[in-house]
Amino acid sequence: MTRSRRLASNLRDLRNAVSKLPDAVVLLDEQQQVRWFNHAAENLLGLRRPQDRGVSLPQRLAGSELADWLRDGARAPLNDASAPGQADSQINLSLLPLGDHEQLLLAHDVSHLNRLEQTRRDFVSNVSHELRTPLTVIHGYLELLDPEDVPELAPVLGEMRAQSKRMGQIVEDLLTLSRLETQHEVVDERVPMEALLATVRKEAEALSQGRHRIVLESTAGVDLLGSPKDLHSALSNLASNAVRYTPAGGSITIHWQREPTGAAYSVSDTGFGIPASHLARLTERFYRVSSSRSRETGGTGLGLSIVKHVLNLHQAQLRIQSAPGVGSTFSCHFGTARLLPPGGNDET
Ligand code: ADP
């Protein structure tokens, strides 16, 4: 075989292989006109041959998320976009430069993964709902039993009450997480920050029972736009963690301050701190640095997952700085779009 024949045959093999890939592959020129596409691109993107060769892809798919993303330059991958060629399918997209003038569009079908994820969410939510009623009944009966009537069982009763309360809290937190996971946006209301910060501080003081010095420094002078209930839960979670993971005699500072990109709520403590190797996983459900410490202080292991979900719904970010034996700072960074001048009684 001559060298050019061998090259042509190799090229044919390569095309054949790519044409059979389960991922959609589209070769685009400088003007984002279609030069070539494989079979999966016909199914997922709805392209037809031969008529779609040479057409502008953003024009051909006008009105789709994919077309808007291509027009905007497709700088970052686009996840969970609906597939233009297949109703009910979702795809992850990326655009790779190929040489100086061409680009390769790749689309991966993630519908199956999304369905599995939905099944997992439904399962957790259904189990939590099913557990709620029997737990309420057990808790109710335990409350009826008076330890003074059965003194020999008093310690057992106390432990049973504490454990049933803990299970109840885990179920409530799981239900909160399920709700937050299925929600894509929050109903925007004014969240009066001075009142919320005062409540968070009061709750932290009640939990601490005088064992810590708790300071509130509020200089931002702005309110937030979002869900008052969810933001209360997130912000007070961070303050209660600070109390629970700081030995008696330590101090806790709650800050609400402006920053160039918006405003930040942060809670700093002088507590146990967290080794760097744990930081990236802290917001996973049930992830704990020390299980015994979490349980002793009534933790469910779900608090920071709830915080992360609430912040995501408000387009805010959680940052954690911590050093073992020195303390931790958990901060929530809100963009300017979420800030309101304080005071008004309006509901936006
Ligand atoms: P938990 O109910 O166990 O406190 P969270 O989701 O609120 O669950 O926190 C996850 C883990 O992160 C905790 O178990 C603890 O190990 C660690 N953690 C959270 N906040 C702090 C803090 N302020 N100081 C030290 N460790 C913390």
Side-chain angles (χ1 to χ4, degrees):
M1 231 198 275
T2 64
R3 187 177 145 75
S4 62
R5 271 215 200 143
R6 223 176 21 246
L7 273 177
S9 151
N10 285 348
L11 202 62
R12 250 195 325 273
D13 288 348
L14 193 65
R15 255 193 193 198
N16 274 340
V18 177
S19 75
K20 296 205 165 59
L21 280 178
D23 288 355
V25 180
V26 184
L27 184 62
L28 297 171
D29 68 13
E30 250 172 326
Q31 275 83 44
Q32 299 195 327
Q33 287 173 344
V34 176
R35 291 201 52 198
W36 181 85
F37 54 88
N38 68 353
H39 289 306
E42 294 178 46
N43 297 332
L44 288 174
L45 308 183
L47 296 181
R48 295 285 160 259
R49 65 184 85 228
Q51 61 268 42
D52 283 335
R53 288 231 174 99
V55 300
S56 149
L57 192 61
Q59 271 177 27
R60 168 68 176 76
L61 301 176
S64 68
E65 267 175 287
L66 196 167
D68 295 342
W69 172 74
L70 279 174
R71 273 209 192 86
D72 291 344
R75 274 177 287 275
L78 176 67
N79 291 335
D80 280 333
S82 27
Q86 237 168 44
D88 301 333
S89 290
Q90 299 87 43
I91 45 179
N92 284 357
L93 292 149
S94 43
L95 190 66
L96 311 173
L98 201 69
D100 287 340
H101 303 294
E102 290 175 323
Q103 293 167 312
L104 204 58
L105 174 75
L106 300 175
H108 179 64
D109 189 347
V110 288
S111 321
H112 183 58
L113 272 180
N114 285 352
R115 272 194 294 275
L116 281 178
E117 180 65 11
Q118 186 59 43
T119 310
R120 178 193 66 76
R121 277 202 287 261
D122 290 347
F123 175 74
V124 173
S125 164
N126 291 339
V127 169
S128 312
H129 268 292
E130 293 296 330
L131 286 176
R132 203 186 214 171
T133 314
L135 271 175
T136 313
V137 173
I138 293 173
H139 197 68
Y141 280 126
L142 283 173
E143 287 297 318
L144 280 181
L145 290 173
D146 188 345
E148 285 183 9
D149 295 341
V150 271
E152 68 281 13
L153 287 183
V156 178
L157 264 182
E159 183 61 15
M160 285 167 81
R161 276 185 190 170
Q163 292 300 339
S164 90
K165 195 167 158 213
R166 216 169 82 76
M167 272 199 278
Q169 192 54 54
I170 292 176
V171 166
E172 290 311 314
D173 280 1
L174 281 172
L175 286 170
T176 303
L177 261 180
S178 295
R179 174 179 62 80
L180 291 170
E181 272 187 337
T182 45
Q183 220 172 305
H184 294 295
E185 52 190 32
V186 283
V187 181
D188 286 338
E189 284 176 44
R190 174 184 289 278
V191 183
M193 283 305 281
E194 284 310 309
L196 177 54
L197 292 167
T199 308
V200 168
R201 181 201 190 152
K202 238 185 255 160
E203 287 167 349
E205 278 168 348
L207 190 63
S208 160
Q209 299 197 320
R211 287 175 296 131
H212 307 91
R213 198 171 86 88
I214 300 178
V215 180
L216 170 62
E217 285 179 9
S218 168
T219 56
V222 283
D223 285 341
L224 277 175
L225 186 62
S227 155
K229 182 174 144 222
D230 292 333
L231 284 170
H232 174 204
S233 143
L235 305 193
S236 72
N237 230 308
L238 295 180
S240 92
N241 277 356
V243 172
R244 292 169 43 234
Y245 297 109
T246 301
S251 41
I252 289 151
T253 309
I254 302 168
H255 280 286
W256 174 232
Q257 59 202 355
R258 289 300 299 260
E259 57 182 1
T261 52
Y265 166 88
S266 63
V267 182
S268 304
D269 63 53
T270 58
F272 300 116
I274 303 157
S277 58
H278 292 279
L279 291 182
R281 301 194 56 192
L282 278 192
T283 57
E284 288 174 21
R285 290 149 192 254
F286 298 116
Y287 190 87
R288 294 156 165 132
V289 178
S290 150
S291 299
S292 56
R293 201 174 272 161
S294 160
R295 290 207 179 94
E296 274 161 26
T297 57
T300 61
L302 295 167
L304 290 180
S305 301
I306 294 178
V307 171
K308 196 183 104 188
H309 276 89
V310 170
L311 293 187
N312 281 349
L313 284 172
H314 291 83
Q315 298 78 44
Q317 282 179 349
L318 176 68
R319 291 188 204 141
I320 309 171
Q321 286 173 313
S322 191
V326 179
S328 315
T329 297
F330 286 73
S331 53
C332 312
H333 300 265
F334 295 90
T336 33
R338 285 274 161 203
L339 307 184
L340 289 176
N345 293 324
D346 55 324
E347 289 209 345
T348 333

Coordinates of all heavy atoms in Angstrom, one line a residue, residues 261-340:
T261 N -17.6 43.0 45.9 CA -18.6 42.2 45.0 C -20.0 42.1 45.6 O -20.8 41.5 45.1 CB -18.1 40.8 44.7 OG1 -17.7 40.2 46.0 CG2 -16.8 40.8 43.9
G262 N -20.2 42.7 46.8 CA -21.5 42.5 47.5 C -21.4 42.7 49.0 O -21.0 43.7 49.5
A263 N -21.8 41.6 49.7 CA -21.7 41.6 51.1 C -21.5 40.2 51.7 O -21.8 39.3 51.0 CB -23.0 42.2 51.8
A264 N -20.8 40.2 52.8 CA -20.5 38.9 53.4 C -21.0 38.7 54.8 O -20.8 39.6 55.6 CB -18.9 38.7 53.3
Y265 N -21.6 37.5 55.1 CA -21.9 37.2 56.4 C -20.9 36.1 56.9 O -20.6 35.2 56.1 CB -23.3 36.5 56.4 CG -23.7 35.8 57.7 CD1 -24.3 36.5 58.8 CD2 -23.4 34.4 57.9 CE1 -24.6 35.8 60.0 CE2 -23.7 33.7 59.0 CZ -24.3 34.4 60.1 OH -24.6 33.8 61.2
S266 N -20.2 36.3 58.0 CA -19.3 35.3 58.4 C -19.4 35.1 59.9 O -19.8 35.9 60.7 CB -17.9 35.7 58.0 OG -17.5 36.9 58.7
V267 N -19.0 33.9 60.3 CA -18.9 33.5 61.7 C -17.5 32.9 62.0 O -17.1 32.0 61.3 CB -20.0 32.4 62.0 CG1 -19.9 32.0 63.5 CG2 -21.4 32.8 61.6
S268 N -16.8 33.6 62.9 CA -15.5 33.2 63.2 C -15.5 32.6 64.6 O -16.2 33.2 65.5 CB -14.5 34.3 63.2 OG -14.5 34.9 62.0
D269 N -14.8 31.5 64.9 CA -14.7 31.0 66.2 C -13.3 30.7 66.6 O -12.4 30.7 65.8 CB -15.6 29.8 66.4 CG -15.2 28.6 65.5 OD1 -14.0 28.2 65.6 OD2 -16.0 28.1 64.7
T270 N -13.0 30.5 67.9 CA -11.7 30.1 68.4 C -11.7 28.7 68.8 O -11.1 28.3 69.8 CB -11.3 31.0 69.6 OG1 -12.3 30.9 70.6 CG2 -11.2 32.5 69.2
G271 N -12.4 27.9 68.0 CA -12.7 26.5 68.5 C -11.7 25.4 68.0 O -10.5 25.8 67.7
F272 N -12.2 24.2 67.9 CA -11.3 23.1 67.6 C -10.6 23.2 66.2 O -9.5 22.7 66.0 CB -12.1 21.8 67.6 CG -12.7 21.5 68.9 CD1 -14.1 21.4 69.0 CD2 -12.0 21.3 70.0 CE1 -14.8 21.2 70.2 CE2 -12.6 21.0 71.3 CZ -14.0 21.0 71.3
G273 N -11.2 23.9 65.3 CA -10.7 24.0 63.9 C -10.8 22.7 63.2 O -11.2 21.7 63.7
I274 N -10.5 22.7 61.9 CA -10.7 21.6 61.0 C -9.4 21.3 60.2 O -8.9 22.3 59.5 CB -11.8 21.8 60.0 CG1 -13.1 22.2 60.8 CG2 -12.1 20.6 59.1 CD1 -14.1 22.9 60.0
P275 N -8.8 20.1 60.2 CA -7.6 19.9 59.3 C -8.0 20.1 57.9 O -9.1 19.8 57.4 CB -7.3 18.4 59.6 CG -8.0 18.1 60.9 CD -9.2 19.0 61.0
A276 N -7.0 20.7 57.1 CA -7.2 21.1 55.7 C -7.8 19.9 54.9 O -8.6 20.1 54.0 CB -5.9 21.6 55.1
S277 N -7.4 18.7 55.2 CA -7.8 17.5 54.3 C -9.3 17.3 54.4 O -9.8 16.6 53.5 CB -7.1 16.3 54.8 OG -7.4 16.0 56.1
H278 N -10.0 17.8 55.4 CA -11.4 17.6 55.5 C -12.3 18.7 54.8 O -13.4 18.5 54.5 CB -11.9 17.6 56.9 CG -11.4 16.4 57.7 ND1 -11.9 15.2 57.6 CD2 -10.3 16.3 58.5 CE1 -11.3 14.3 58.4 NE2 -10.3 14.9 58.9
L279 N -11.6 19.9 54.5 CA -12.4 21.1 54.2 C -13.3 20.8 52.9 O -14.4 21.2 52.9 CB -11.5 22.3 53.9 CG -10.8 22.8 55.2 CD1 -10.0 24.0 54.9 CD2 -11.9 23.2 56.3
A280 N -12.7 20.2 51.9 CA -13.4 20.1 50.6 C -14.7 19.2 50.7 O -15.6 19.3 50.0 CB -12.5 19.5 49.5
R281 N -14.7 18.3 51.8 CA -15.9 17.4 51.9 C -16.9 17.8 52.9 O -17.9 17.1 53.1 CB -15.4 16.0 52.2 CG -14.4 15.5 51.1 CD -14.2 14.0 51.2 NE -15.4 13.3 51.1 CZ -15.5 12.0 51.4 NH1 -14.4 11.3 51.8 NH2 -16.6 11.3 51.4
L282 N -16.7 18.9 53.6 CA -17.5 19.3 54.8 C -19.0 19.4 54.4 O -19.9 19.2 55.3 CB -17.1 20.6 55.4 CG -15.9 20.5 56.4 CD1 -15.8 21.8 57.1 CD2 -16.1 19.4 57.4
T283 N -19.3 19.9 53.2 CA -20.7 20.1 52.9 C -21.4 18.9 52.3 O -22.6 18.9 52.0 CB -20.9 21.3 51.8 OG1 -20.1 20.9 50.7 CG2 -20.4 22.6 52.4
E284 N -20.7 17.7 52.3 CA -21.4 16.5 51.9 C -22.3 16.0 53.1 O -21.9 16.2 54.2 CB -20.4 15.4 51.7 CG -19.6 15.5 50.4 CD -18.5 14.5 50.3 OE1 -18.6 13.4 50.9 OE2 -17.5 14.8 49.6
R285 N -23.4 15.4 52.7 CA -24.3 14.9 53.8 C -23.6 13.9 54.7 O -22.9 13.0 54.2 CB -25.5 14.1 53.1 CG -26.4 14.8 52.4 CD -26.9 13.9 51.3 NE -27.7 14.7 50.4 CZ -29.0 14.6 50.3 NH1 -29.7 13.8 51.0 NH2 -29.6 15.4 49.4
F286 N -23.8 14.1 55.9 CA -23.3 13.2 57.0 C -21.8 13.1 57.1 O -21.2 12.3 57.7 CB -23.8 11.7 56.8 CG -25.3 11.6 56.9 CD1 -26.1 11.3 55.9 CD2 -26.0 12.0 58.1 CE1 -27.5 11.2 56.0 CE2 -27.4 11.9 58.3 CZ -28.1 11.5 57.2
Y287 N -21.1 14.1 56.4 CA -19.6 14.1 56.6 C -19.3 14.8 57.9 O -19.7 16.0 58.1 CB -19.0 14.8 55.4 CG -17.5 14.6 55.4 CD1 -16.9 13.5 54.8 CD2 -16.7 15.5 56.0 CE1 -15.5 13.3 54.8 CE2 -15.3 15.4 56.1 CZ -14.7 14.3 55.5 OH -13.4 14.1 55.5
R288 N -18.5 14.2 58.7 CA -18.2 14.8 60.0 C -16.7 14.6 60.2 O -16.1 13.5 59.9 CB -18.9 14.1 61.1 CG -20.4 14.3 61.1 CD -21.0 13.2 61.9 NE -22.4 13.5 62.2 CZ -23.4 12.7 62.0 NH1 -23.1 11.5 61.5 NH2 -24.6 13.0 62.4
V289 N -16.0 15.6 60.8 CA -14.6 15.4 61.1 C -14.5 14.5 62.3 O -13.6 13.6 62.3 CB -14.0 16.8 61.5 CG1 -12.5 16.7 61.9 CG2 -14.2 17.7 60.3
S290 N -15.4 14.6 63.3 CA -15.4 13.7 64.4 C -16.8 13.4 64.7 O -17.6 14.2 65.2 CB -14.7 14.4 65.6 OG -15.3 13.9 66.8
S291 N -17.2 12.1 64.5 CA -18.6 11.7 64.7 C -19.0 11.8 66.1 O -20.1 12.3 66.4 CB -18.8 10.2 64.3 OG -18.5 10.1 62.9
S292 N -18.1 11.5 67.0 CA -18.5 11.5 68.5 C -18.8 13.0 68.9 O -19.8 13.2 69.5 CB -17.4 10.9 69.3 OG -16.2 11.6 69.1
R293 N -17.9 13.9 68.5 CA -18.1 15.3 68.8 C -19.4 15.8 68.3 O -20.2 16.5 68.9 CB -16.9 16.1 68.3 CG -16.8 17.4 69.0 CD -15.5 18.1 68.6 NE -14.3 17.7 69.3 CZ -13.1 17.9 68.9 NH1 -12.9 18.4 67.7 NH2 -12.1 17.5 69.6
S294 N -19.7 15.4 67.0 CA -20.9 15.9 66.4 C -22.2 15.4 67.1 O -23.1 16.1 67.4 CB -21.0 15.4 64.9 OG -22.3 15.5 64.4
R295 N -22.1 14.1 67.5 CA -23.3 13.5 68.1 C -23.5 14.0 69.5 O -24.6 14.3 70.0 CB -23.1 12.0 68.2 CG -23.3 11.3 66.9 CD -23.8 9.9 66.9 NE -23.8 9.5 65.5 CZ -22.9 8.8 64.9 NH1 -21.8 8.5 65.5 NH2 -23.0 8.5 63.6
E296 N -22.4 14.2 70.3 CA -22.5 14.7 71.7 C -23.2 16.0 71.7 O -23.9 16.4 72.6 CB -21.1 14.9 72.2 CG -20.5 13.7 72.9 CD -18.9 13.8 73.0 OE1 -18.5 15.0 73.1 OE2 -18.3 12.8 73.0
T297 N -23.0 16.8 70.6 CA -23.5 18.2 70.6 C -24.9 18.3 69.9 O -25.3 19.3 69.5 CB -22.5 19.2 70.0 OG1 -22.2 18.8 68.7 CG2 -21.3 19.3 70.8
G298 N -25.4 17.1 69.6 CA -26.8 17.1 68.9 C -26.7 17.3 67.4 O -27.7 17.7 66.9
G299 N -25.6 17.0 66.8 CA -25.5 17.3 65.3 C -26.2 16.2 64.5 O -26.3 15.1 64.9
T300 N -26.7 16.6 63.3 CA -27.3 15.6 62.4 C -26.3 15.3 61.3 O -26.6 14.3 60.5 CB -28.6 16.1 61.8 OG1 -28.3 17.3 61.0 CG2 -29.6 16.4 62.9
G301 N -25.3 16.1 61.1 CA -24.4 15.9 60.0 C -24.9 16.4 58.7 O -24.4 16.2 57.6
L302 N -26.0 17.2 58.8 CA -26.7 17.7 57.5 C -26.7 19.2 57.4 O -27.0 19.8 56.4 CB -28.1 17.2 57.5 CG -28.3 15.7 57.3 CD1 -29.7 15.2 57.6 CD2 -27.8 15.2 56.0
G303 N -26.2 19.8 58.5 CA -26.3 21.3 58.6 C -25.6 22.0 57.5 O -26.2 22.9 56.8
L304 N -24.3 21.6 57.2 CA -23.6 22.4 56.2 C -24.1 22.1 54.7 O -24.0 22.9 53.9 CB -22.1 22.1 56.3 CG -21.4 22.7 57.5 CD1 -19.9 22.3 57.5 CD2 -21.6 24.2 57.5
S305 N -24.7 20.8 54.6 CA -25.3 20.6 53.2 C -26.5 21.5 53.0 O -26.7 22.0 51.9 CB -25.9 19.2 53.2 OG -24.9 18.2 53.4
I306 N -27.3 21.7 54.1 CA -28.4 22.6 54.0 C -27.9 24.1 53.7 O -28.4 24.7 52.8 CB -29.2 22.6 55.3 CG1 -29.9 21.2 55.4 CG2 -30.3 23.7 55.3 CD1 -30.7 21.0 56.7
V307 N -26.8 24.5 54.4 CA -26.2 25.8 54.2 C -25.9 26.0 52.7 O -26.2 26.9 52.0 CB -25.0 26.0 55.1 CG1 -24.3 27.3 54.7 CG2 -25.4 26.1 56.5
K308 N -25.2 24.9 52.2 CA -24.7 25.0 50.8 C -25.8 25.2 49.8 O -25.8 26.0 48.9 CB -23.8 23.8 50.4 CG -23.0 24.1 49.2 CD -22.2 22.9 48.8 CE -22.9 22.2 47.6 NZ -22.4 20.9 47.3
H309 N -26.9 24.4 50.0 CA -28.0 24.4 49.1 C -28.7 25.8 49.2 O -29.2 26.3 48.2 CB -29.0 23.3 49.4 CG -28.7 22.0 48.7 ND1 -27.8 21.1 49.3 CD2 -29.0 21.5 47.5 CE1 -27.7 20.1 48.5 NE2 -28.3 20.3 47.4
V310 N -28.9 26.3 50.4 CA -29.6 27.6 50.5 C -28.8 28.7 49.8 O -29.3 29.5 49.1 CB -29.8 27.9 52.0 CG1 -30.2 29.4 52.2 CG2 -30.7 27.0 52.7
L311 N -27.4 28.6 50.0 CA -26.6 29.6 49.4 C -26.7 29.5 47.8 O -26.7 30.5 47.1 CB -25.1 29.5 49.9 CG -24.9 29.9 51.3 CD1 -23.5 30.0 51.7 CD2 -25.6 31.2 51.7
N312 N -26.6 28.3 47.3 CA -26.7 28.1 45.9 C -28.0 28.7 45.3 O -28.0 29.3 44.3 CB -26.8 26.6 45.5 CG -25.4 26.0 45.5 OD1 -24.4 26.7 45.6 ND2 -25.3 24.7 45.5
L313 N -29.1 28.5 46.1 CA -30.4 29.1 45.6 C -30.3 30.6 45.6 O -31.2 31.3 45.0 CB -31.5 28.6 46.5 CG -32.0 27.2 46.2 CD1 -33.0 26.7 47.3 CD2 -32.6 27.0 44.8
H314 N -29.4 31.2 46.4 CA -29.3 32.7 46.4 C -28.0 33.1 45.6 O -27.6 34.3 45.8 CB -29.2 33.2 47.9 CG -30.5 33.0 48.6 ND1 -30.9 31.8 49.2 CD2 -31.5 33.8 48.8 CE1 -32.1 31.9 49.7 NE2 -32.5 33.1 49.5
Q315 N -27.5 32.3 44.8 CA -26.3 32.5 44.0 C -25.2 33.0 44.9 O -24.3 33.9 44.5 CB -26.6 33.6 42.9 CG -27.6 33.2 41.8 CD -29.0 33.3 42.3 OE1 -29.3 34.3 43.0 NE2 -29.8 32.3 42.1
A316 N -25.1 32.5 46.1 CA -24.0 33.0 47.0 C -23.0 31.8 47.2 O -23.3 30.7 46.9 CB -24.7 33.4 48.4
Q317 N -21.9 32.2 47.8 CA -20.8 31.1 47.9 C -20.4 31.0 49.4 O -20.4 32.0 50.1 CB -19.6 31.6 47.2 CG -19.6 31.4 45.7 CD -18.3 32.0 45.1 OE1 -17.5 32.6 45.7 NE2 -18.2 31.7 43.8
L318 N -20.1 29.7 49.7 CA -19.6 29.4 51.1 C -18.1 29.3 51.0 O -17.6 28.6 50.1 CB -20.2 28.1 51.6 CG -19.8 27.6 52.9 CD1 -20.2 28.6 54.0 CD2 -20.3 26.2 53.2
R319 N -17.4 30.0 51.9 CA -15.9 29.8 52.0 C -15.6 29.4 53.4 O -16.2 29.9 54.3 CB -15.2 31.1 51.6 CG -15.3 31.4 50.1 CD -14.5 32.5 49.6 NE -15.1 33.1 48.4 CZ -15.1 34.3 48.1 NH1 -14.6 35.2 48.9 NH2 -15.7 34.7 47.0
I320 N -14.6 28.5 53.5 CA -14.2 28.0 54.8 C -12.7 28.2 55.0 O -12.0 27.8 54.2 CB -14.6 26.5 55.0 CG1 -16.1 26.3 54.6 CG2 -14.3 26.1 56.4 CD1 -16.4 24.8 54.5
Q321 N -12.4 28.8 56.1 CA -11.0 28.9 56.5 C -10.9 28.3 57.9 O -11.7 28.7 58.7 CB -10.5 30.4 56.6 CG -10.3 31.0 55.2 CD -10.0 32.5 55.3 OE1 -10.7 33.2 56.1 NE2 -9.0 32.9 54.7
S322 N -9.9 27.5 58.1 CA -9.8 26.9 59.4 C -8.4 26.3 59.7 O -7.7 26.0 58.7 CB -10.8 25.7 59.5 OG -10.9 25.3 60.8
A323 N -8.0 26.4 60.9 CA -6.7 25.8 61.3 C -7.0 25.0 62.6 O -7.6 25.6 63.6 CB -5.7 26.9 61.5
P324 N -6.5 23.8 62.7 CA -6.8 23.0 63.9 C -6.2 23.6 65.1 O -5.0 24.1 65.1 CB -6.0 21.7 63.6 CG -5.9 21.6 62.1 CD -5.8 23.0 61.7
G325 N -6.9 23.7 66.2 CA -6.5 24.3 67.4 C -6.5 25.8 67.5 O -6.3 26.4 68.5
V326 N -6.8 26.4 66.3 CA -6.9 27.9 66.3 C -8.3 28.4 66.1 O -8.8 29.3 66.8 CB -6.0 28.4 65.1 CG1 -6.1 30.0 65.1 CG2 -4.6 28.0 65.3
G327 N -9.0 27.8 65.2 CA -10.4 28.2 65.0 C -10.8 28.2 63.5 O -10.0 27.8 62.7
S328 N -12.1 28.6 63.3 CA -12.6 28.5 61.9 C -13.3 29.8 61.6 O -13.9 30.4 62.5 CB -13.6 27.3 61.7 OG -13.1 26.2 62.3
T329 N -13.4 30.1 60.3 CA -14.3 31.1 59.8 C -15.1 30.6 58.6 O -14.5 30.1 57.6 CB -13.5 32.4 59.3 OG1 -12.8 32.9 60.4 CG2 -14.4 33.4 58.7
F330 N -16.4 30.6 58.8 CA -17.3 30.2 57.7 C -17.9 31.5 57.1 O -18.5 32.2 57.9 CB -18.4 29.2 58.2 CG -17.9 27.8 58.5 CD1 -17.1 27.6 59.6 CD2 -18.3 26.8 57.7 CE1 -16.7 26.3 59.9 CE2 -17.8 25.5 57.9 CZ -17.0 25.3 59.0
S331 N -17.8 31.7 55.8 CA -18.3 33.0 55.3 C -19.2 32.7 54.1 O -19.0 31.9 53.3 CB -17.2 34.0 55.0 OG -16.3 33.4 54.2
C332 N -20.3 33.5 54.0 CA -21.3 33.5 52.9 C -21.2 34.8 52.1 O -21.4 35.8 52.7 CB -22.7 33.3 53.4 SG -22.9 32.1 54.7
H333 N -20.9 34.6 50.8 CA -20.7 35.8 50.0 C -21.8 36.0 49.0 O -22.1 35.2 48.2 CB -19.4 35.7 49.3 CG -18.2 35.6 50.2 ND1 -17.4 36.6 50.6 CD2 -17.7 34.5 50.9 CE1 -16.5 36.2 51.5 NE2 -16.7 34.9 51.7
F334 N -22.6 37.1 49.2 CA -23.8 37.5 48.4 C -23.4 38.5 47.4 O -22.7 39.5 47.7 CB -24.9 38.0 49.3 CG -25.4 37.0 50.3 CD1 -24.8 36.8 51.6 CD2 -26.4 36.1 49.9 CE1 -25.3 35.9 52.5 CE2 -26.9 35.1 50.8 CZ -26.3 35.0 52.1
G335 N -23.9 38.4 46.2 CA -23.6 39.4 45.1 C -24.5 40.6 45.3 O -25.5 40.5 46.0
T336 N -24.1 41.7 44.6 CA -24.9 42.9 44.8 C -26.4 42.8 44.3 O -27.2 43.5 44.9 CB -24.3 44.1 43.9 OG1 -23.7 43.5 42.8 CG2 -23.2 44.8 44.7
A337 N -26.6 41.9 43.4 CA -28.0 41.7 43.0 C -28.9 41.2 44.1 O -30.2 41.4 44.0 CB -28.1 40.7 41.8
R338 N -28.3 40.7 45.2 CA -29.1 40.2 46.3 C -29.2 41.2 47.4 O -29.8 40.9 48.5 CB -28.5 38.9 46.9 CG -28.7 37.7 46.0 CD -30.0 37.0 46.3 NE -30.4 36.2 45.3 CZ -31.7 35.8 45.1 NH1 -32.6 36.3 45.9 NH2 -32.1 35.0 44.1
L339 N -28.7 42.4 47.2 CA -28.7 43.4 48.3 C -29.8 44.5 48.1 O -30.1 44.8 47.0 CB -27.3 44.1 48.4 CG -26.1 43.2 48.5 CD1 -24.8 44.0 48.7 CD2 -26.2 42.2 49.6
L340 N -30.4 44.9 49.2 CA -31.4 45.9 49.2 C -31.0 47.0 50.2 O -30.5 46.7 51.3 CB -32.7 45.4 49.6 CG -33.5 44.4 48.7 CD1 -34.7 43.9 49.4 CD2 -33.9 45.1 47.4

